Every structure is written in C-alpha cells, then in structure tokens.
Amino acid sequence: MRISSYDNGVTAGEKQEDYKTIFLTTFHYLWPNELVLRTRIITALFCLLLAKLFTVLTPLLLMSLVDELNLLVKVENRDNFVIWGVLGLALGYGAARFSSNAFVQIRDFLFVNVAQNGLKNLSLHAFEHMHCLPLSFHLSRQTGYISKVIDRGVRGIEFLLRFVLFSIGPLILELLFVCILMIYKFDAIFLIIILATIFLYVIFTISVTNWRVRIRRKMNMWDADLSHKKIDSLLNYETVKYFSAENHEKEKYLKSLKSYEFFAIKTGTSLSMLNFGQALIVTSGLLILIVIATNKVIDGSLSVGGVVGLNAIMLQLILPLNFLGTVYREIRQALVDMGELFIFFRERVEEDEDEKDELTTIKEGFVFDKVYFSYDGARDVISKVSFSIPVGKITAIVGPSGSGKSTLGKLIFAFYKPSRGKILIDGKENNKLKTKSVRVQLAVSPQDIVLFNDTLEYNIAYGSNDVSKDMLNYVIEQSDLTDLVSSLPNGLSTEVGERGLKLSGGEKQRVAIARMLLKGCCINILDEATSSLDPKSEKRIIENLFEKRGSKTLIIISHRLSSISGADNILVIENGRLIQEGIHDRLIQESGLYKEMWEKQKRYKSMEKGADFNG
C-alpha cells in the first residue's frame, strides 16, 4: 500500500535508515552552541559517573555489613568501637544507595534543558523545511502522514538523546565497574556466570526485538494511514455530507483500523514472549550463581556476606537489563521514526539562492521568451509562450478552463521554473534572482482561497506588519467588505473557521483581495479573483482596481471577459499556447477564440437576464 506520495511508492519505514547520519545529527542537537547548555551536559555526565560509582559501591558495603554483623553475633565481648563500626557501615550503605539515586535525579534535572532545546531546534528545522519545499511537493503531500512523521521523528530524537546517553552508556560503565570488582573480590567463575547471563540476555533481546521492530514498522504504517484518512475525511467534511458518504468513510477507516489492530495485537503478544524469555534467562543465571556461591559458603571459601553481595550485584545489573528490551526496541523505533523524518528532510527544497542577485524593485516588467513548462516531465502545459507584461499597465490572461492561465500566474510568482525558455524580470533571468526577493514584489489573490482558523482581521492583515486602522478600513472598502464586517456581531473579531468554512466563496474572495491590497505591492496578480462574486460586487471591485491604473501593475487571470475588457493588453491562451494578443476592441474584430468566448458569454448573460425578468 502506498502511504506517502512523495516516497515513490515505498514507505519510509521500509527504507534502510542511515544510522550514522542519524546518530551524528542527534549528537549535533545534544551538543548545542550555548555555553550554559554545554556546562549542563558536562555536569550531567559527571553526575552519571558518580551515580554509577555509588551503585557499584552499594552491594560492596552491604556485603561488608553482613559479614561484620555475622562476626558481631559470634563475639561475646563487643566493644563500642566495633559496634560503631558496624553502624557506620550501615549508614554508609544507606548513604551510597541514596547517593546513587540522588545523582541520577540531579543528572536528569540538568539534562532536561538540553533535551528540550534539542527538541525545539529539531521541530523548528522540520517546520522551516516544510515551508522551504516547492509547490510540487505540497500539491502531492498527505498532511496526516507528514504530521505523524514530524511528530514521531521529534519524539525519536528525545528518546535517543536520553536513552543512548543515560541508559546504554551507564549500563556499559556499570558493567565495567562490576568486572573490576569481581576480579578484585571474587572467583572468576562468578564473573563468567554474570557475563554469560548478560550475553545470552542481550542476544535474545536483540534477536526478538529485531523481529518485533518489523511488526512495529507495519503497525506504524497503518497508524500513519489512519491519521491520513482521519484528517483527509475531516478536511472534506462537506463533500462527505454532499454525497451522503458517511458509511463509505467509516468502512474505509474501519479497514485501516482492522489492519492496525492486527499488527498491534502481534506487537503485544511478541512483547509477552520477549518478557518470558528474558525472565527465564535471568532466573537461570541467578540460580546457578546462588547454588555455586552456597557451595562455597559450605566449604568455607566464601562468607555469607559474599552470597548476599553477589546476589545484590546480579540483581543490580539485571534491573537495568530488564529495560534493555524496551530501550533497544525504542531506540530501534526511534531510529526508524527519525529515518522517516530524515527522508522528509532529504526532499529537495527550493534552490539554494546564496549566489543569486537580490531584486529590490521591478521597474520594467516581465518578459516571457519562448517559455515551456510541464509537470514532472509529462506533457507540456505551457508551450513556446512569448509575451511581455509592462509595469503600470493592466494585463489580462484569458482562455478556457485548463488552458494554462493559472500556471502562467504561478510561473510569474516563481512557484515553478520554466522547463525551457526564459522569464526575464527587468532584463534579468528569474533563475538568477532570489525567489523570495521576487515574491516580495508581488501580491496575489489566488484562485483557491484557504483562510487560517482565526479572526477576520487576522486573515485580512496576514503578512502585513503594523497595519493602521485607517489602512485596514481602506482595503475593506476597496474589496467591498464593508457591509459584511458591519453585519457581523463581532465585526473583524469574527472567527472564520477552519480554512474559512464559515464564509461563503464570494466572502473569502473579497478577504483575499483585501489581503492582497494590504500587502502594498506595485504588482498585483488576481487569479480568478472575482469568479464567485455577484456582478454588482465584481463591478465595484474591478472599478476600484482599474482606478489604480498607472500606479499599479495588474495581472488579471480570468475566464469572465466582462471583467477585463478595459485591460491595456489581453493574452488569449488555449491548450498552453498564446493564440491571440491585443486590446478588447481589436480582438472582437478578429475571428478567433476571444470573439467566440465573448459572444457565448454575452448570450448567456442575456438568457440569465431574460430568466430573471420572466421570473
């Protein structure tokens, strides 16, 4: 099943993770530039070392305490010095046990700032990267899937930061200390038993966990699919209702739920198998250790305190090992999750523009020189188009639906780059100019308007800083929004709903026009900006826009010819080709597509008026 449209049909989880890159990136976030955070890391590592020293010291003090108590019981004349010595060992045992836990808590207290800083930086990187990806990516993305990938990837780095440094590392350090202690204090046989138990435990845990990770990947795949289906269904709530397709959506969601349930059950049962095998290995190793130690106590080569100490050492090592399966599994899963995020990071962003020129103003205009454009190398959407858009003039781009009008608008705005040919801005190729500097000069009212789930004022003023009340009222008047704002109980503070669903299509278009005007650019692109408006509103807005002739450059993309008949130049596009060009009067005199469209729209308008009159 294809989960991610940007993954060429292969799910991210199925790709081989680049563990080296992931670990290097993780430790890049672990070692930030701030001196304060670096000091915290070094102090946390020092606390970790002290915690492990006290952890190993604890069973040693317990063993000495038991031996001293055993001697104290046998001695009839007990002087105060011996008694105080035993009490000192007891206090030392308690202090060592407390210190091992205390330094762990101090370590976590110091490290939490570092972890959260790493999470913040990674989240910001992911968010910035998402906005740096080209329009082609966002046209084919699956929002729910991307959301899951980013969320799990960010959680994954936190797990790696915390558990690789503070679980696996300390376990190896503690094992090293125990080996030194065993060589110094006990027979080699006990060290062999402990190491053999740990070896079998680790091998079994890694083998079973690797098997479980494959199951977990499939579970994650269906989890992401569930998220995608849920968000997609909610975003298309109205469409679902229009077609009474609630049951279809439910069945589609249930199918994914059943697949997720199947792998979730396998994940749970495999965990029980893992825990059972781990318990069997640990118990067997501990039993062998105790039996041999008991025999040595019987033959007098080991004290009772030695048995207690060995038991404590074994249990102390096994306690963190109990979490090894979980830690290893979660580390593997974190690597998988981060691998998916890194695949997302490898998506090609818009071109690196450090070497390109900055565009500070547009004085002459745009020139299209034999421009071709196609999506993903398929058929040409734009074919050998040449025309100019001078500054201070009104240029209209018209044609039937699907002729390539909106694509030309996106080429002007630099959402796309030409497959062949050149787009010149003031004589310079747009490929050699910084895209952001080009877009800053342009204001757009797009064909598909999606508003933020915020207030009406927020959406009108979006992208414009320090907007005065007078300026806001001016653009509201220019975009024919005055009646709407005054009719709303909360006025500009009215919430527009997700994607602006509380507003009609025409109201959203007027908000988009107001937002375009408020950006204050000299060049405005209107892509079917009045298609949902009633003729009266459309006429008022077009007249307001045409009044700016000379001071503003207007590029109007429309299929409604009545709104652009006063343009300085009209470009007629059909099947991606420029077939006619000129002013309205001249194009009407020609026998071509423009005249044909004009007459059809004129007849339709007459029929509409006749129907209204008869009604």
Side-chain angles (χ1 to χ4, degrees):
M1 174 181 167
R2 184 173 180 176
I3 295 297
S4 171
S5 55
Y6 68 85
D7 238 354
N8 298 322
V10 183
T11 61
E14 291 170 346
K15 295 185 177 182
Q16 183 63 40
E17 297 84 21
D18 185 355
Y19 292 142
K20 181 181 177 182
T21 302
I22 290 173
F23 275 110
L24 286 174
T25 305
T26 299
F27 287 106
H28 166 73
Y29 287 107
L30 177 64
W31 190 247
N33 293 325
E34 294 90 338
L35 181 61
V36 174
L37 293 176
R38 289 186 175 184
T39 305
R40 278 179 170 267
I41 294 170
I42 293 167
T43 310
L45 291 172
F46 182 67
C47 289
L48 169 64
L49 180 64
L50 288 176
K52 287 305 154 190
L53 282 172
F54 281 113
T55 299
V56 175
L57 190 60
T58 300
L60 194 62
L61 288 169
L62 178 62
M63 182 178 68
S64 299
L65 177 60
V66 171
D67 285 338
E68 290 299 322
L69 285 171
N70 196 34
L71 288 172
L72 196 62
V73 169
K74 294 177 182 178
V75 176
E76 293 182 3
N77 297 321
R78 307 164 188 162
D79 57 40
N80 290 334
F81 181 77
V82 174
I83 293 172
W84 281 109
V86 172
L87 289 174
L89 281 172
L91 289 172
Y93 168 74
R97 192 168 187 82
F98 171 77
S99 297
S100 65
N101 289 319
F103 280 111
V104 167
Q105 299 308 316
I106 295 170
R107 176 204 72 189
D108 289 343
F109 170 79
L110 291 168
F111 188 72
V112 67
N113 292 55
V114 180
Q116 290 305 315
N117 181 72
L119 286 178
K120 177 193 71 179
N121 291 335
L122 180 65
S123 298
L124 184 62
H125 180 198
F127 187 79
E128 286 180 326
H129 182 78
M130 186 170 59
H131 283 286
C132 289
L133 293 170
L135 180 64
S136 56
F137 170 84
H138 289 284
L139 290 176
S140 60
R141 74 166 189 250
Q142 293 180 340
T143 307
Y145 182 82
I146 294 299
S147 176
K148 277 283 185 182
V149 165
I150 294 174
D151 185 41
R152 285 203 304 254
V154 169
R155 288 202 315 267
I157 195 169
E158 180 185 25
F159 197 90
L160 282 179
L161 286 172
R162 184 172 297 279
F163 284 89
V164 170
L165 191 64
F166 293 149
S167 288
I168 302 299
L171 184 60
I172 295 170
L173 185 63
E174 186 175 347
L175 185 59
L176 178 65
F177 287 156
V178 166
C179 289
I180 295 169
L181 175 63
M182 296 297 289
I183 293 169
Y184 168 73
K185 196 76 178 174
F186 299 99
D187 289 347
I189 186 65
F190 296 118
L191 178 59
I192 292 169
I193 292 169
I194 290 173
L195 291 177
T197 303
I198 292 172
F199 177 76
L200 289 172
Y201 187 99
V202 170
I203 292 298
F204 173 77
T205 299
I206 290 174
S207 300
V208 176
T209 303
N210 283 337
W211 168 58
R212 294 190 69 245
V213 163
R214 291 194 291 272
I215 300 171
R216 182 71 179 265
R217 280 179 177 174
K218 291 178 180 177
M219 188 181 80
N220 275 353
M221 184 185 78
W222 287 107
D223 182 37
D225 187 59
L226 279 171
S227 176
H228 163 65
K229 281 187 169 65
K230 181 165 55 180
I231 291 175
D232 203 37
S233 186
L234 287 173
L235 290 175
N236 291 281
Y237 170 82
E238 288 178 279
T239 307
V240 174
K241 291 296 179 184
Y242 287 145
F243 291 91
S244 301
E246 292 90 344
N247 284 335
H248 170 71
E249 290 296 311
K250 186 183 80 173
E251 290 300 321
K252 191 169 67 170
Y253 192 66
L254 180 61
K255 183 181 177 182
S256 294
L257 271 176
K258 286 179 177 177
S259 298
Y260 175 79
E261 178 190 32
F262 174 77
F263 288 107
I265 289 170
K266 285 190 75 172
T267 301
T269 53
S270 61
L271 178 61
S272 299
M273 291 171 58
L274 176 65
N275 291 338
F276 179 82
Q278 287 173 336
L280 181 63
I281 292 170
V282 169
T283 305
S284 300
L286 186 59
L287 183 61
I288 294 169
L289 185 81
I290 294 298
V291 168
I292 294 175
T294 303
N295 282 332
K296 287 191 175 290
V297 171
I298 292 170
D299 64 23
S301 59
L302 187 67
S303 66
V304 174
V307 177
V308 174
L310 284 168
N311 184 68
I313 289 169
M314 184 71 161
L315 290 176
Q316 200 161 275
L317 276 175
I318 294 304
L319 186 63
L321 278 178
N322 281 335
F323 299 102
L324 179 64
T326 302
V327 170
Y328 178 73
R329 184 190 72 240
E330 292 301 327
I331 287 174
R332 283 295 308 272
Q333 187 55 44
L335 290 170
V336 170
D337 293 340
M338 289 189 69
E340 292 176 347
L341 182 61
F342 280 31
I343 290 168
F344 169 67
F345 282 153
R346 287 200 294 271
E347 282 292 326
R348 294 182 68 181
V349 298
E350 292 183 314
E351 294 175 15
D352 182 14
E353 304 190 325
D354 290 341
E355 303 300 322
K356 295 185 179 181
D357 296 330
E358 189 86 26
L359 182 68
T360 55
T361 184
I362 300 177
K363 296 179 180 179
E364 298 173 18
F366 295 82
V367 174
F368 276 58
D369 182 15
K370 297 177 182 177
V371 170
Y372 290 80
F373 175 75
S374 63
Y375 294 99
D376 301 323
R379 67 178 180 85
D380 286 330
V381 179
I382 301 297
S383 301
K384 202 178 180 180
V385 169
S386 297
F387 59 83
S388 62
I389 300 175
V391 164
K393 301 291 183 180
I394 299 172
T395 302
I397 303 173
V398 301
S401 296
S403 59
K405 304 187 300 295
S406 294
T407 303
L408 285 174
K410 288 182 171 65
L411 284 165
I412 294 167
F413 194 71
F415 266 142
Y416 302 131
K417 300 295 183 185
S419 305
R420 283 177 284 163
K422 299 175 184 178
I423 299 176
L424 305 174
I425 304 174
D426 287 358
K428 294 181 180 179
E429 283 189 50
N430 70 340
N431 287 330
K432 296 177 181 176
L433 297 169
K434 292 183 178 180
T435 303
K436 191 171 182 179
S437 69
V438 173
R439 291 174 182 168
V440 166
Q441 310 296 325
L442 308 173
V444 181
S445 179
Q447 184 174 8
D448 297 317
I449 299 142
V450 179
L451 302 182
F452 292 94
N453 190 1
D454 210 305
T455 64
L456 188 59
E457 183 176 2
Y458 175 86
N459 279 283
I460 293 173
Y462 183 77
S464 304
N465 299 319
D466 302 322
V467 178
S468 67
K469 201 71 179 174
D470 290 341
M471 190 61 190
L472 190 62
N473 289 332
Y474 173 74
V475 298
I476 286 171
E477 182 184 347
Q478 290 288 297
S479 55
D480 200 29
L481 276 170
T482 307
D483 292 343
L484 171 66
V485 173
S486 59
S487 68
L488 296 170
N490 296 322
L492 288 171
S493 298
T494 302
E495 297 280 342
V496 302
E498 189 170 25
R499 297 182 296 128
L501 287 175
K502 291 183 181 179
L503 301 181
S504 69
E507 288 166 348
K508 284 197 286 187
Q509 283 197 329
R510 280 178 276 172
V511 170
I513 291 168
R515 186 162 59 187
M516 176 196 74
L517 294 174
L518 202 57
K519 189 178 178 183
C521 295
C522 292
I523 299 176
N524 293 336
I525 302 172
L526 295 94
D527 187 359
E528 302 286 6
T530 59
S531 59
S532 297
L533 297 180
D534 60 272
K536 191 176 178 182
S537 292
E538 181 186 32
K539 185 180 179 183
R540 273 201 299 265
I541 291 172
I542 291 296
E543 285 176 353
N544 289 337
L545 290 171
F546 275 37
E547 282 177 5
K548 298 175 175 58
R549 189 191 300 264
S551 63
K552 293 274 188 182
T553 303
L554 296 180
I555 303 168
I556 304 175
I557 299 166
S558 180
H559 65 270
R560 198 182 291 181
L561 304 187
S562 58
S563 63
I564 54 86
S565 58
D568 297 306
N569 191 33
I570 300 170
L571 308 171
V572 185
I573 305 296
E574 184 180 33
N575 296 324
R577 295 181 179 275
L578 177 63
I579 59 170
Q580 287 181 283
E581 183 178 1
I583 61 172
H584 171 77
D585 292 340
R586 199 186 94 195
L587 292 173
I588 286 295
Q589 292 171 4
E590 296 179 7
S591 297
L593 178 62
Y594 185 84
K595 182 178 180 180
E596 183 184 328
M597 290 173 65
W598 176 263
E599 289 177 349
K600 279 183 181 179
Q601 290 182 21
K602 197 174 178 182
R603 282 198 302 271
Y604 178 75
K605 202 169 183 180
S606 300
M607 289 169 61
E608 210 173 36
K609 283 182 178 178
D612 289 341
F613 178 77
N614 293 330

PDB file of all heavy atoms in Angstrom, residues 292-309:
ATOM      1  N   ILE A 292      26.243 -22.129  43.265  1.00  0.00           N
ATOM      2  CA  ILE A 292      27.703 -22.211  43.374  1.00  0.00           C
ATOM      3  C   ILE A 292      28.192 -21.437  44.598  1.00  0.00           C
ATOM      4  O   ILE A 292      29.077 -21.892  45.339  1.00  0.00           O
ATOM      5  CB  ILE A 292      28.371 -21.690  42.089  1.00  0.00           C
ATOM      6  CG1 ILE A 292      28.040 -22.620  40.907  1.00  0.00           C
ATOM      7  CG2 ILE A 292      29.879 -21.566  42.262  1.00  0.00           C
ATOM      8  CD1 ILE A 292      28.535 -22.137  39.566  1.00  0.00           C
ATOM      9  N   ALA A 293      27.608 -20.252  44.815  1.00  0.00           N
ATOM     10  CA  ALA A 293      28.004 -19.437  45.970  1.00  0.00           C
ATOM     11  C   ALA A 293      27.679 -20.161  47.275  1.00  0.00           C
ATOM     12  O   ALA A 293      28.462 -20.116  48.242  1.00  0.00           O
ATOM     13  CB  ALA A 293      27.290 -18.086  45.917  1.00  0.00           C
ATOM     14  N   THR A 294      26.529 -20.835  47.334  1.00  0.00           N
ATOM     15  CA  THR A 294      26.137 -21.589  48.544  1.00  0.00           C
ATOM     16  C   THR A 294      27.129 -22.708  48.830  1.00  0.00           C
ATOM     17  O   THR A 294      27.519 -22.942  49.990  1.00  0.00           O
ATOM     18  CB  THR A 294      24.711 -22.166  48.381  1.00  0.00           C
ATOM     19  OG1 THR A 294      23.799 -21.085  48.103  1.00  0.00           O
ATOM     20  CG2 THR A 294      24.267 -22.886  49.641  1.00  0.00           C
ATOM     21  N   ASN A 295      27.542 -23.411  47.787  1.00  0.00           N
ATOM     22  CA  ASN A 295      28.537 -24.472  47.960  1.00  0.00           C
ATOM     23  C   ASN A 295      29.845 -23.919  48.510  1.00  0.00           C
ATOM     24  O   ASN A 295      30.511 -24.540  49.348  1.00  0.00           O
ATOM     25  CB  ASN A 295      28.796 -25.177  46.623  1.00  0.00           C
ATOM     26  CG  ASN A 295      27.684 -26.157  46.267  1.00  0.00           C
ATOM     27  OD1 ASN A 295      27.033 -26.700  47.163  1.00  0.00           O
ATOM     28  ND2 ASN A 295      27.463 -26.377  44.984  1.00  0.00           N
ATOM     29  N   LYS A 296      30.218 -22.728  48.040  1.00  0.00           N
ATOM     30  CA  LYS A 296      31.465 -22.126  48.511  1.00  0.00           C
ATOM     31  C   LYS A 296      31.339 -21.671  49.966  1.00  0.00           C
ATOM     32  O   LYS A 296      32.323 -21.659  50.710  1.00  0.00           O
ATOM     33  CB  LYS A 296      31.865 -20.960  47.602  1.00  0.00           C
ATOM     34  CG  LYS A 296      32.377 -21.434  46.235  1.00  0.00           C
ATOM     35  CD  LYS A 296      33.006 -20.310  45.457  1.00  0.00           C
ATOM     36  CE  LYS A 296      33.621 -20.833  44.154  1.00  0.00           C
ATOM     37  NZ  LYS A 296      34.812 -21.651  44.395  1.00  0.00           N
ATOM     38  N   VAL A 297      30.147 -21.248  50.367  1.00  0.00           N
ATOM     39  CA  VAL A 297      29.937 -20.914  51.783  1.00  0.00           C
ATOM     40  C   VAL A 297      30.066 -22.154  52.645  1.00  0.00           C
ATOM     41  O   VAL A 297      30.673 -22.141  53.733  1.00  0.00           O
ATOM     42  CB  VAL A 297      28.542 -20.256  51.985  1.00  0.00           C
ATOM     43  CG1 VAL A 297      28.233 -20.111  53.472  1.00  0.00           C
ATOM     44  CG2 VAL A 297      28.502 -18.898  51.307  1.00  0.00           C
ATOM     45  N   ILE A 298      29.512 -23.279  52.138  1.00  0.00           N
ATOM     46  CA  ILE A 298      29.564 -24.538  52.892  1.00  0.00           C
ATOM     47  C   ILE A 298      31.007 -24.999  53.064  1.00  0.00           C
ATOM     48  O   ILE A 298      31.403 -25.454  54.148  1.00  0.00           O
ATOM     49  CB  ILE A 298      28.726 -25.619  52.172  1.00  0.00           C
ATOM     50  CG1 ILE A 298      27.229 -25.248  52.246  1.00  0.00           C
ATOM     51  CG2 ILE A 298      28.956 -27.001  52.794  1.00  0.00           C
ATOM     52  CD1 ILE A 298      26.336 -26.094  51.370  1.00  0.00           C
ATOM     53  N   ASP A 299      31.828 -24.870  51.984  1.00  0.00           N
ATOM     54  CA  ASP A 299      33.219 -25.339  52.129  1.00  0.00           C
ATOM     55  C   ASP A 299      34.136 -24.255  52.714  1.00  0.00           C
ATOM     56  O   ASP A 299      35.348 -24.448  52.824  1.00  0.00           O
ATOM     57  CB  ASP A 299      33.770 -25.856  50.791  1.00  0.00           C
ATOM     58  CG  ASP A 299      33.865 -24.781  49.730  1.00  0.00           C
ATOM     59  OD1 ASP A 299      33.934 -23.572  50.059  1.00  0.00           O
ATOM     60  OD2 ASP A 299      33.863 -25.118  48.524  1.00  0.00           O
ATOM     61  N   GLY A 300      33.550 -23.094  53.063  1.00  0.00           N
ATOM     62  CA  GLY A 300      34.291 -22.072  53.803  1.00  0.00           C
ATOM     63  C   GLY A 300      35.098 -21.119  52.970  1.00  0.00           C
ATOM     64  O   GLY A 300      35.830 -20.276  53.502  1.00  0.00           O
ATOM     65  N   SER A 301      34.991 -21.194  51.646  1.00  0.00           N
ATOM     66  CA  SER A 301      35.784 -20.300  50.793  1.00  0.00           C
ATOM     67  C   SER A 301      35.068 -18.982  50.479  1.00  0.00           C
ATOM     68  O   SER A 301      35.621 -18.109  49.811  1.00  0.00           O
ATOM     69  CB  SER A 301      36.135 -21.000  49.470  1.00  0.00           C
ATOM     70  OG  SER A 301      34.951 -21.375  48.776  1.00  0.00           O
ATOM     71  N   LEU A 302      33.847 -18.841  50.961  1.00  0.00           N
ATOM     72  CA  LEU A 302      33.075 -17.614  50.737  1.00  0.00           C
ATOM     73  C   LEU A 302      32.227 -17.330  51.965  1.00  0.00           C
ATOM     74  O   LEU A 302      31.668 -18.252  52.574  1.00  0.00           O
ATOM     75  CB  LEU A 302      32.158 -17.767  49.500  1.00  0.00           C
ATOM     76  CG  LEU A 302      31.397 -16.519  49.034  1.00  0.00           C
ATOM     77  CD1 LEU A 302      32.357 -15.462  48.504  1.00  0.00           C
ATOM     78  CD2 LEU A 302      30.369 -16.884  47.968  1.00  0.00           C
ATOM     79  N   SER A 303      32.156 -16.083  52.335  1.00  0.00           N
ATOM     80  CA  SER A 303      31.358 -15.698  53.507  1.00  0.00           C
ATOM     81  C   SER A 303      29.896 -15.548  53.125  1.00  0.00           C
ATOM     82  O   SER A 303      29.548 -15.454  51.939  1.00  0.00           O
ATOM     83  CB  SER A 303      31.882 -14.385  54.086  1.00  0.00           C
ATOM     84  OG  SER A 303      31.658 -13.321  53.155  1.00  0.00           O
ATOM     85  N   VAL A 304      29.050 -15.477  54.167  1.00  0.00           N
ATOM     86  CA  VAL A 304      27.617 -15.260  53.939  1.00  0.00           C
ATOM     87  C   VAL A 304      27.406 -13.896  53.281  1.00  0.00           C
ATOM     88  O   VAL A 304      26.575 -13.734  52.391  1.00  0.00           O
ATOM     89  CB  VAL A 304      26.833 -15.337  55.277  1.00  0.00           C
ATOM     90  CG1 VAL A 304      25.364 -14.969  55.064  1.00  0.00           C
ATOM     91  CG2 VAL A 304      26.961 -16.722  55.872  1.00  0.00           C
ATOM     92  N   GLY A 305      28.189 -12.912  53.732  1.00  0.00           N
ATOM     93  CA  GLY A 305      28.107 -11.585  53.122  1.00  0.00           C
ATOM     94  C   GLY A 305      28.443 -11.626  51.648  1.00  0.00           C
ATOM     95  O   GLY A 305      27.894 -10.850  50.855  1.00  0.00           O
ATOM     96  N   GLY A 306      29.339 -12.524  51.252  1.00  0.00           N
ATOM     97  CA  GLY A 306      29.692 -12.681  49.846  1.00  0.00           C
ATOM     98  C   GLY A 306      28.503 -13.123  49.013  1.00  0.00           C
ATOM     99  O   GLY A 306      28.299 -12.641  47.887  1.00  0.00           O
ATOM    100  N   VAL A 307      27.701 -14.076  49.560  1.00  0.00           N
ATOM    101  CA  VAL A 307      26.498 -14.544  48.854  1.00  0.00           C
ATOM    102  C   VAL A 307      25.510 -13.393  48.676  1.00  0.00           C
ATOM    103  O   VAL A 307      24.951 -13.175  47.600  1.00  0.00           O
ATOM    104  CB  VAL A 307      25.825 -15.715  49.617  1.00  0.00           C
ATOM    105  CG1 VAL A 307      24.535 -16.138  48.909  1.00  0.00           C
ATOM    106  CG2 VAL A 307      26.764 -16.888  49.733  1.00  0.00           C
ATOM    107  N   VAL A 308      25.321 -12.655  49.789  1.00  0.00           N
ATOM    108  CA  VAL A 308      24.404 -11.511  49.739  1.00  0.00           C
ATOM    109  C   VAL A 308      24.898 -10.469  48.723  1.00  0.00           C
ATOM    110  O   VAL A 308      24.131  -9.927  47.931  1.00  0.00           O
ATOM    111  CB  VAL A 308      24.262 -10.863  51.141  1.00  0.00           C
ATOM    112  CG1 VAL A 308      23.432  -9.584  51.064  1.00  0.00           C
ATOM    113  CG2 VAL A 308      23.630 -11.842  52.115  1.00  0.00           C
ATOM    114  N   GLY A 309      26.207 -10.202  48.721  1.00  0.00           N
ATOM    115  CA  GLY A 309      26.781  -9.232  47.802  1.00  0.00           C
ATOM    116  C   GLY A 309      26.640  -9.661  46.350  1.00  0.00           C
ATOM    117  O   GLY A 309      26.293  -8.855  45.481  1.00  0.00           O
TER     118      GLY A 309
END
